[in-house]
Amino acid sequence: MLAIDPTKKISFQRPIGNGDLVIVYERHDVMKAVKVCEGSELQNRFGVFKHSDWIGKPFGSKVLSNKGGFVYLLAPTPELWTLVLSHRTQILYIADISFVVSFLEVIPGCLVLESGTGSGSLTTSLARAVSPTGHVYTFDFHEQRAASAREDFEKTGLSSLITVGVRDIQGQGFPDEYCGAADSVFLDLPQPWLAIPSAAKMLKQDGVLCSFSPCIEQVQRSCETLNTSFTGDNISSPSSLPCKRRQRSKEGSNGVEKSGSLGVMARPCAEARGHTGYLTFARLKCLQ
């Protein structure tokens, strides 16, 4: 039976402790991240809140100020962290994140590569998805952004699940040490087509790639590169949203795709609402 490292287990089923990060909820549009420090205070329009009163209470507790006002102390889940984090770059929100994590098929134990890290909004959700036995390796070319992301992951208790690297993935590609080891790869780059050949080498067979782009021209260029990088001994199906796995048939009857066929297939999905960009997915397949 696989042993689970307790330091990598994400759980808020415990009392709030000194040094913990909590999301202080005033109302649905007013929240802030606060590090609990015994002896410190939080002052807002509801009064003064002593941190010492928070220690020992469970996440989700309602706490009172000296004036009788109240706030709620919520756990720093990826969803809430996305709403309160510092925006060093444009971030992905829940609508996009939920699709990405789902269609990349990220589950506990997966190894995920990401570029670029940015503000780390998606990275936190990826880390929770791979916990407790997987890992996320995320890269950003900007050294200060990478350092700030490391600090944030320390605050949210995810540093054991995330490794942040400083690297120009568009120019250098992913490190060779991950060749053939990644279950999933995510790209959020201005020129993702430059990183796709490297991403193809990183993926395991049947691994999935996702590229997030705000412009359709980026999608078109990426699909062209996918068609050349994933052909030969491999096959991919890039699309605006991932296609469901198809049953392979040697006869290819009843409209079922023949084994060994090559090319790019793209189709829109009307189910997506409220997204901020295009999601292009591709699966690495081996011809049998």
Side-chain angles (χ1 to χ4, degrees):
M1 189 175 190
L2 186 64
I4 294 177
D5 184 349
T7 64
K8 293 188 175 185
K9 187 176 181 181
I10 302 174
S11 174
F12 301 109
Q13 303 299 315
R14 58 175 177 78
I16 295 170
N18 188 37
D20 278 346
L21 183 76
V22 299
I23 306 299
V24 177
Y25 177 98
E26 295 184 20
R27 63 186 192 194
H28 75 280
D29 58 345
V30 180
M31 290 180 281
K32 65 183 301 184
V34 176
K35 183 178 180 180
V36 179
C37 297
E38 192 168 6
S40 296
E41 296 178 341
L42 169 69
Q43 298 185 37
N44 61 19
R45 60 199 176 102
F46 299 118
V48 178
F49 297 85
K50 294 183 177 181
H51 288 201
S52 57
D53 294 337
W54 301 355
I55 296 173
K57 294 184 180 297
F59 285 100
S61 294
K62 175 181 178 181
V63 293
L64 302 178
S65 72
N66 62 330
K67 296 181 179 179
F70 64 88
V71 295
Y72 291 94
L73 306 178
L74 305 182
T77 63
E79 292 78 13
L80 290 178
W81 181 246
T82 290
L83 297 177
V84 301
L85 58 75
S86 299
H87 288 205
R88 295 179 288 273
T89 60
Q90 181 180 352
I91 70 169
L92 269 69
Y93 289 94
I94 300 303
D96 289 315
I97 291 173
S98 60
F99 270 95
V100 170
V101 174
S102 175
F103 289 126
L104 279 182
E105 300 175 2
V106 182
I107 60 174
C110 280
L111 188 154
V112 180
L113 300 181
E114 179 193 25
S115 179
T117 311
S119 299
S121 177
L122 173 65
T123 318
T124 58
S125 289
L126 290 173
R128 180 178 60 184
V130 304
S131 172
T133 55
H135 204 83
V136 178
Y137 295 90
T138 182
F139 300 90
D140 201 292
F141 77 94
H142 193 282
E143 189 169 350
Q144 184 54 52
R145 277 206 301 261
S148 297
R150 287 192 199 97
E151 293 176 5
D152 284 349
F153 301 145
E154 286 282 353
K155 293 177 185 176
T156 53
L158 297 173
S159 57
S160 63
L161 292 162
I162 303 171
T163 298
V164 183
V166 179
R167 189 178 178 92
D168 177 11
I169 299 300
Q170 288 187 168
Q172 300 174 275
F174 289 99
D176 291 339
E177 62 191 278
Y178 306 116
C179 186
D183 297 282
S184 307
V185 174
F186 178 80
L187 304 176
D188 184 357
L189 301 169
Q191 296 176 294
W193 53 89
L194 297 179
I196 285 174
S198 173
K201 296 176 182 178
M202 301 301 111
L203 284 170
K204 296 177 180 178
Q205 293 300 329
D206 208 38
V208 184
L209 174 144
C210 174
S211 176
F212 174 88
S213 299
C215 302
I216 190 63
E217 292 81 7
Q218 293 169 302
V219 176
Q220 293 169 334
R221 186 81 176 268
S222 296
C223 285
E224 291 172 0
T225 306
L226 283 166
N227 197 29
T228 57
S229 296
F230 280 48
T231 53
D233 292 334
N234 302 308
I235 178 172
S236 69
S237 297
S239 61
S240 56
L241 284 177
C243 303
K244 294 180 179 179
R245 293 196 184 190
R246 298 182 174 193
Q247 295 296 322
R248 301 285 181 174
S249 169
K250 292 183 179 180
E251 295 77 21
S253 59
N254 299 322
V256 178
E257 182 181 353
K258 291 183 179 180
S259 176
S261 62
L262 299 174
V264 172
M265 179 177 65
R267 65 179 176 87
C269 179
E271 297 175 1
R273 293 291 184 270
H275 294 270
T276 57
Y278 296 95
L279 297 174
T280 302
F281 289 82
R283 182 184 298 279
L284 189 69
K285 287 289 188 182
C286 181
L287 293 178
Q288 300 295 333

